[in-house]
Amino acid sequence: MSRLRIYPSKENTIASGVYAAYNSSQNPAADLWYGGGVNGAVDFRHSISRHLIQFDLTELNRKIASKEVNTTLGVTYRLRMKNAIPGDKVLDKEQEFNRMQRAIAASYDLIGFPMDKAWDEGRGYDMIKERSLVEQMGTPRLTGYSNWNSATTVTSWTEAGVFANPTASTSMYATQHFALGNEDMNMDVTDIVKNWLSGGSSNNGIAVAYRRDYEISSGNTRYVSSFFTNRTNFSHKPYLEVIFDHQR
């Protein structure tokens, strides 16, 4: 079998709650979280985050047309992201809402689902460098679009966060279980990519999120998992892996 890597054309991590106006596309790690209390509670701030990633498939289409990638012999597509293990700053208590605890997530499922709207990457702060996950000093720094509510400056998502309940909004999604929490992402997104290539839907990229039952949990601890983005060194960059038989 042969393998081809396609690196992202854009990425961003968006989050709900107090972070809804934030854009964090410059972060070298995508921090995915859930939990932190019941939404609207006084002592805790419930929030979930999702990572957006898009790949330019122009060169892949050329290779398919020339039979360099012969789809009749079978092709699979996998979303690959290297685990970053959340750093100490990401796990710190928030200064303003200091009752909330943070922990590294384990024994969880992530889903990948296709997005239905074009979106902008933005130029938001690195959340770890700027400590915007740790220090909320009253006035949030608005860091552009996309964010939790909007895909671009003039376009809102179909629902906040792309879809409120992704698996109810699209039947085409992928799932991966993380038993320990330190595993790399290796998610089979074959059906999603094949649908793009066949013209069944537009390639607006893939959103990665916790499965919905994790997202709506109301525990007081916020659980975090992290994966490297394309803002890190080359060996850790995410990619779409194309696995195919090289024979014609």
Side-chain angles (χ1 to χ4, degrees):
M1 301 298 287
S2 297
R3 285 172 166 79
L4 171 69
R5 291 186 179 186
I6 303 174
Y7 292 96
S9 56
K10 57 184 176 180
E11 290 184 81
N12 186 26
T13 304
I14 59 176
S16 67
V18 71
Y19 309 104
Y22 283 78
N23 170 288
S24 59
S25 60
Q26 305 307 301
N27 199 340
D31 297 314
L32 298 176
W33 66 74
Y34 70 92
V38 178
N39 191 23
V42 174
D43 291 334
F44 301 99
R45 291 299 185 270
H46 183 274
S47 178
I48 58 177
S49 67
R50 295 170 177 176
H51 187 64
L52 318 181
I53 187 166
Q54 187 168 4
F55 302 91
D56 185 343
L57 302 183
T58 303
E59 182 63 14
L60 175 61
N61 273 310
R62 186 195 67 77
K63 290 179 180 293
I64 290 173
S66 68
K67 300 299 183 182
E68 292 178 64
V69 176
N70 192 338
T71 57
T72 62
L73 299 176
V75 182
T76 58
Y77 303 94
R78 306 194 73 89
L79 177 58
R80 304 292 300 268
M81 297 185 74
K82 188 171 182 61
N83 199 304
I85 305 296
D88 291 342
K89 289 182 180 180
V90 177
L91 297 176
D92 279 351
K93 292 180 179 179
E94 292 187 5
Q95 291 183 1
E96 185 171 350
F97 307 122
N98 59 10
R99 290 194 179 188
M100 188 182 68
Q101 301 293 323
R102 297 177 186 273
I104 296 175
S107 186
Y108 61 88
D109 286 0
L110 291 180
I111 62 169
F113 60 94
M115 292 183 284
D116 66 339
K117 290 189 177 181
W119 51 284
D120 289 335
E121 182 177 50
R123 51 185 175 81
Y125 295 101
D126 173 338
M127 284 189 173
I128 295 176
K129 181 178 178 181
E130 299 296 332
R131 296 181 65 84
S132 60
L133 281 174
V134 178
E135 300 174 354
Q136 291 295 316
M137 295 302 187
T139 303
R141 289 166 293 211
L142 303 183
T143 49
Y145 303 89
S146 53
N147 56 37
W148 185 257
N149 295 316
S150 301
T152 70
T153 306
V154 297
T155 306
S156 298
W157 297 114
T158 300
E159 298 171 311
V162 183
F163 296 122
N165 183 355
T167 57
S169 298
T170 176
S171 60
M172 195 168 294
Y173 59 89
T175 305
Q176 181 179 342
H177 181 68
F178 295 78
L180 300 177
N182 61 356
E183 300 92 337
D184 292 339
M185 190 182 302
N186 186 359
M187 187 179 292
D188 188 345
V189 293
T190 300
D191 290 344
I192 295 172
V193 177
K194 282 185 174 180
N195 193 52
W196 292 338
L197 294 172
S198 68
S201 63
S202 298
N203 171 17
N204 292 311
I206 293 172
V208 178
Y210 286 97
R211 202 178 64 201
R212 188 59 178 165
D213 49 335
Y214 294 93
E215 288 189 332
I216 62 176
S217 65
S218 58
N220 293 332
T221 299
R222 178 166 295 163
Y223 293 97
V224 187
S225 60
S226 298
F227 298 88
F228 287 109
T229 73
N230 63 353
R231 300 296 177 181
T232 189
N233 67 70
F234 185 80
S235 64
H236 290 163
K237 288 181 183 292
Y239 57 92
L240 181 67
E241 185 177 43
V242 185
I243 306 171
F244 61 98
D245 192 322
H246 68 280
Q247 298 178 5
R248 299 194 179 191

